[in-house]
Amino acid sequence: MDIKRVLEQYDSMFGKASPAESFSFLRSAIDEARDCADVTAQQLLMNEMIGLCRDADMKDEGCRYSEEVLGLFKGNAKDTAEYGTTLVNIAGGYRAYGMYDESEQLFEEAEDVYSRTLSGNDPRLAGLYNNKSLLYQEKGDYTQAVTCLMKALPVIDASDDYVKRGTTRGNIGQTIIALCVQLRDGGGNDQAQALLMRAEVYLLEAVEIFEALGGNDYHYSGTLGALGDLYSETGHSYAAVTCYRRAMRLLELYVGRSLAWERVREKLEKTEKLPDADMKGLEVSKRFFELFGQEIITAAGEYSDRIAIGIAGEGSDAYGFDDGISTDHDFGPGLCVFADDDIPQAVFDELKNAYSELFVRHRAQILREFGCASGFDERLYERRGVVRTGDFYERTLGVRLSGDFSKVLCSLPEDRLAEASNGAVFKAGGEFSGIRGQILSHYPENVRLLKLGKTLHELSQYLQSNYPRAMARQDAVTAALCVARGAESAMETAYLLARRYHPYYKWMRRGLDELGILRDLGGMLDELCSLPMQTEAWSEYIYSSGPKNTSDRVIELTEKIAERILEELRAQSLTRSEDVFLENVSAEIIRKTGNDIR
């Protein structure tokens, strides 16, 4: 029998064939091996069958083939490593079927065989101890489970398999945590606390290994989940939430929303309800500064008054708009250190080194506080770290600022100005703070009024004039564009009225809730943009520029939006008009600036 060809054919079925099809294939191959009296082929194929039955929960078939394959090993064959490996395989199956006593007996026999047939660093020994550890975990004997994993560790460390090195350490940490919970529930709090510190050591070693491998290995999910358990147990709820979310992302990437993913999700939902679990990015940055900011200031030496430290620029966390979704990219603890342009290069380099060394020197503490550290997301370092003030503003605004730049600021896109002035400053100083203050003072009033006149004009054109025309023409695409662009113009108007720069388009709606004015505008825009196409309202309507088609909910909402904006304009003494057709109010406001009306 060509056993090599048969096994290659079976391997090619992996992930394609159903368990029933795989079972049928192996059964036929085993029958053929019996007919050929090929004992070696039978042993190899039955071991494959035992593994299949274990994974497919086919207990009766698995036990039958287990007994049969054991009968194939006779005499001296029982003093071979192959016999030991078969015992480990069968013991794993018995464990999966809940036959714990039988499983333990076979593991003990396998360990005796291996001790006589294998060298001390043979990888098969690690397989034995890892599988035996699973048995003890299921029996609730975590002390023995940890002992088995500790026996496997030096064998694995003697190999070049870094994934297994990380996985084993993660398993040790996870099992120690389970032991700690068991001890704590039994009243052994002090012993449990000491063991948690041991668990953290192994988990940190696992993190180091997996991060060095890129931080995206499937097996890293187990270590991250264990870290989440550890930090949840020790009251570091924000770090636990971060670890659980990262574990879920890896699980979903590799195996989808599996049972393992669901278990982590349940832990996440429970942990999210704990105090400090939902810290925003700005709070995280502030906490990072409180812990480590002084080291950066000290590194600046006599130039400490020439640097500012805080968070600003790209990223939802810099706006305070981050949520659970935001953590899937470019997210983590850190700071922006803004150094004056003329600070000596040697001092600038020292600041960069001091910042980088924070993540090495305080790695354990950073993980404990925030659930991630250096290496979690390399792109984050394009947004955080040490930068010269001029470079930051040029990168953010697209121009190099120098001298009196007030006129330059008035010509820049608002979302760039919002990005350049968002976030928070925890230590003011240097050129950065001066420029930031000038940007935050907003536009001169004449410029603000000109921009306001423009957004009012656009709002009126899109929603009050062109939307009904598009609907009357049954032009659904243009009507939808009018709604979207009209909503955008309404938001731009609100930011100008609040004397705030509007952020990048995807955060404009979120930022409305922070303006302090027009508090009900967001809800009206939510409804406006959620409405289905109002086709029926126009089925028998004859268009005219006079009366409004109030059976169209978009037009009803448009009038309410116009009324609220007009109310705020009147409150700011920008108009006395009661005309909700905002095109006319736009013209009035532009006249106040002394400019021609379009």
Side-chain angles (χ1 to χ4, degrees), residues 7-28:
L7 291 175
E8 287 176 350
Q9 190 175 351
Y10 179 63
D11 288 342
S12 70
M13 298 171 65
F14 185 76
K16 301 175 184 176
S18 67
E21 291 171 327
S22 297
F23 181 85
S24 178
F25 175 85
L26 286 175
R27 182 175 57 190
S28 296

Side-chain angles (χ1 to χ4, degrees), residues 74 113 168 267 283 426 457 497 541:
K74 299 175 182 178
V113 172
T168 302
K267 292 179 181 179
E283 297 173 281
F426 310 126
H457 162 72
L497 286 170
Y541 188 85

Side-chain angles (χ1 to χ4, degrees), residues 56 91 94 114 116 159 209 250 278 303 316 356-357 369 378 389 407 426 453 493 551 579:
Y94 286 175
Y114 276 171
R116 291 183 280 107
S159 74
I209 292 169
L250 286 177
D278 61 345
Y303 294 91
S316 57
S356 297
E357 287 173 4
E369 292 281 346
E378 291 298 333
T389 294
K407 291 183 179 180
F426 310 126
T493 300
S551 60
D579 187 354

Side-chain angles (χ1 to χ4, degrees), residues 182-314:
Q182 192 177 68
L183 288 170
R184 186 194 60 195
D185 291 345
N189 290 328
D190 292 343
Q191 188 179 1
Q193 195 63 35
L195 283 172
L196 283 175
M197 295 174 65
R198 284 187 61 193
E200 186 177 34
V201 170
Y202 286 106
L203 291 173
L204 292 180
E205 289 178 358
V207 167
E208 197 78 39
I209 292 169
F210 282 118
E211 291 290 353
L213 293 172
N216 290 311
D217 191 277
Y218 162 71
H219 300 87
Y220 194 13
S221 62
T223 293
L224 290 170
L227 268 175
D229 295 342
L230 173 68
Y231 294 142
S232 181
E233 284 290 323
T234 54
H236 297 90
S237 51
Y238 178 82
V241 164
T242 302
C243 289
Y244 287 144
R245 285 174 177 163
R246 293 175 65 193
M248 288 171 66
R249 281 196 290 275
L250 286 177
L251 286 168
E252 186 168 14
L253 175 65
Y254 287 102
V255 297
R257 298 193 172 189
S258 61
L259 182 60
W261 181 91
E262 185 63 33
R263 284 198 293 264
V264 179
R265 185 190 65 82
E266 290 174 1
K267 292 179 181 179
L268 172 64
E269 290 184 348
K270 181 179 178 181
T271 309
E272 283 177 327
K273 298 174 183 178
L274 298 176
D276 299 324
D278 61 345
M279 277 197 299
K280 294 287 188 182
L282 286 174
E283 297 173 281
V284 170
S285 295
K286 183 178 181 182
R287 176 64 177 153
F288 193 89
F289 174 76
E290 291 169 347
L291 290 171
F292 311 117
Q294 187 56 51
E295 292 186 34
I296 299 172
I297 295 171
T298 300
E302 61 183 294
Y303 294 91
S304 60
D305 61 340
R306 307 281 299 281
I307 66 170
I309 305 176
I311 183 128
E314 289 184 82

Side-chain angles (χ1 to χ4, degrees), residues 31 56 72 109 115 135 147 161 186 261 345 352 368 381 398 423 455 475 530 577:
D31 289 342
L72 295 174
E109 186 179 352
S115 71
L135 168 65
T147 300
D161 193 331
W261 181 91
Q345 186 63 41
K352 292 182 71 173
R368 196 177 302 123
Y381 295 96
T455 60
D475 184 349
S530 301
S577 175

